[in-house]
């Protein structure tokens, strides 16, 4: 029989896992596409943090037999680049269309002619989207390295809490508290 302390120790060791990185990157790619479409066509974006936490919890904890707060947090961190990629791509398109002498490189944004003619072929868009996505994932990985090297400072000093991310941390924590809390989160996501 396994004791509670052995289970807790085993869960606490599960943090930086390949499945969390893969899920986070996959969700980042999907969220980038959705956010880019919303940003370019409607001038608005959507944060997918709560959706990521819920999906990671369901996939890892319920379907694959267990996870830890650290693993779900890693998937959340890796998926967080979708909105910034959309803003960057939207801003690059705006510059290319609005500033006559911008002439940004084709690997960053399609040419002014392609944008004016509203060309939607993948040959024009795939390179800028992949380059932007690669830059965002690289930024996420660098952020992860900084986060792991400085996490004790943030955990010990209560005055350095980031209010925008506190809600996500509470949601991750509530996934492991009581069974009813994750159901409440699921109902909230469906209603939203």
């Amino acid at each position: 029989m396994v004791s509670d302390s052995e289970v807790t120790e085993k869960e606490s060791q599960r943090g930086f896992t390949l499945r969390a990185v893969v899920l986070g990157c996959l969700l980042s790619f999907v969220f980038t596409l959705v956010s880019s479409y919303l940003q370019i066509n409607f001038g608005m974006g959507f944060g997918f943090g709560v959706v990521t936490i819920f999906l990671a919890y369901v996939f890892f904890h319920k379907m694959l037999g267990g996870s830890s707060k650290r693993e779900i947090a890693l998937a959340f961190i890796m998926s967080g680049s979708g909105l910034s990629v959309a803003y960057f791509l939207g801003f690059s398109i705006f510059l290319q269309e609005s500033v006559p002498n911008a002439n940004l490189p084709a690997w960053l944004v399609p040419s002014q002619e392609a944008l004016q003619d509203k060309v939607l072929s993948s040959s024009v868009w795939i390179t800028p989207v992949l380059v932007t996505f690669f830059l965002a994932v690289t930024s996420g990985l660098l952020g992860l390295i900084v986060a792991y090297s400085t996490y004790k400072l943030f955990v010990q000093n209560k005055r350095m809490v980031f209010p925008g991310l506190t809600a996500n941390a509470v949601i991750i924590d509530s996934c492991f508290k009581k069974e009813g809390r994750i159901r409440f989160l699921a109902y909230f996501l469906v209603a939203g």
Side-chain angles (χ1 to χ4, degrees):
M1 185 169 193
V2 179
S3 70
D4 288 340
S5 64
E6 289 174 329
V7 171
T8 306
E9 184 179 326
K10 187 177 180 183
E11 280 187 359
S12 68
Q13 291 173 353
R14 181 180 285 155
F16 192 86
T17 61
L18 182 60
R19 69 183 188 174
V21 172
V22 169
L23 179 65
C25 288
L26 178 67
L27 290 176
S28 178
F29 184 74
V30 171
F31 298 160
T32 296
L33 294 176
V34 172
S35 292
S36 296
Y37 178 81
L38 291 173
Q39 182 67 26
I40 291 167
N41 290 303
F42 302 106
M44 60 179 271
F46 184 75
F48 292 98
V50 175
V51 175
T52 300
I53 293 168
F54 182 73
L55 289 175
Y57 178 78
V58 169
F59 286 147
F60 298 154
H61 200 72
K62 295 294 184 181
M63 296 173 76
L64 299 177
S67 65
S68 68
K69 293 177 189 178
R70 292 174 65 185
E71 187 176 38
I72 292 175
L74 175 63
F76 170 75
I77 290 168
M78 293 305 298
S79 72
S81 62
L83 197 58
S84 61
V85 169
Y87 288 138
F88 178 76
L89 194 57
F91 183 70
S92 299
I93 291 169
F94 170 77
L95 280 178
Q96 190 77 312
E97 287 182 332
S98 302
V99 179
N101 296 328
N103 292 327
L104 297 173
W107 53 265
L108 186 61
V109 67
S111 68
Q112 288 179 341
E113 294 79 25
L115 292 174
Q116 288 172 352
D117 295 340
K118 300 192 184 307
V119 176
L120 293 177
S121 70
S122 60
S123 63
V124 172
W125 286 96
I126 193 72
T127 303
V129 168
L130 289 177
V131 165
T132 307
F133 179 71
F134 172 77
L135 292 173
V137 169
T138 303
S139 173
L141 289 173
L142 290 174
L144 187 62
I145 291 168
V146 171
Y148 268 121
S149 64
T150 60
Y151 78 95
K152 287 183 182 178
L153 173 69
F154 292 106
V155 170
Q156 292 170 352
N157 190 345
K158 298 291 183 189
R159 293 177 295 169
M160 295 182 71
V161 175
F162 295 99
L165 298 176
T166 301
N168 294 313
V170 168
I171 291 170
I172 291 172
D173 192 44
S174 69
C175 288
F176 292 89
K177 294 281 184 181
K178 274 185 161 178
E179 198 63 35
R181 291 185 181 180
I182 192 66
R183 285 191 189 119
F184 177 74
L185 176 62
Y187 294 143
F188 175 73
L189 284 173
V190 170

